[in-house]
Amino acid sequence: MVAGIDWAAELHAVCILGAEGRVTERFDVTHYSQALHVMVSKFRKARVAKVAIERGDGPGVQVLIDAGQSSG
């Protein structure tokens, strides 16, 4: 499983793709700590192996690094 995050000013779109590249889940997340931790929990539950995000820094990236989530 892989995930993609479209980072925006306030509300970020998240998509999880299954093995065949089909969307298995879509949701929005804010950049607040609690919401980002919920996102990581959803990634763990879905067994996401890699995450694509359009930035290299910021709170979303840091929570992924802290959770040991790979980027790709």
Side-chain angles (χ1 to χ4, degrees):
M1 300 281 229
V2 296
I5 304 170
D6 181 17
W7 200 258
E10 294 181 29
L11 192 62
H12 321 296
V14 182
C15 183
I16 298 175
L17 301 175
E20 284 121 33
R22 294 189 182 177
V23 175
T24 62
E25 188 171 358
R26 286 178 201 229
F27 58 95
D28 294 325
V29 65
T30 64
H31 60 267
Y32 296 104
S33 179
Q34 183 178 2
L36 294 172
H37 288 296
V38 168
M39 175 186 71
V40 169
S41 292
K42 287 184 178 194
F43 288 171
R44 285 186 178 140
K45 183 178 178 186
R47 304 187 84 170
V48 169
K50 292 199 178 216
V51 178
I53 186 170
E54 61 191 286
R55 11 180 340 133
D57 64 347
V61 173
Q62 192 59 52
V63 78
L64 293 170
I65 291 169
D66 292 347
Q69 194 71 57
S70 308
S71 62

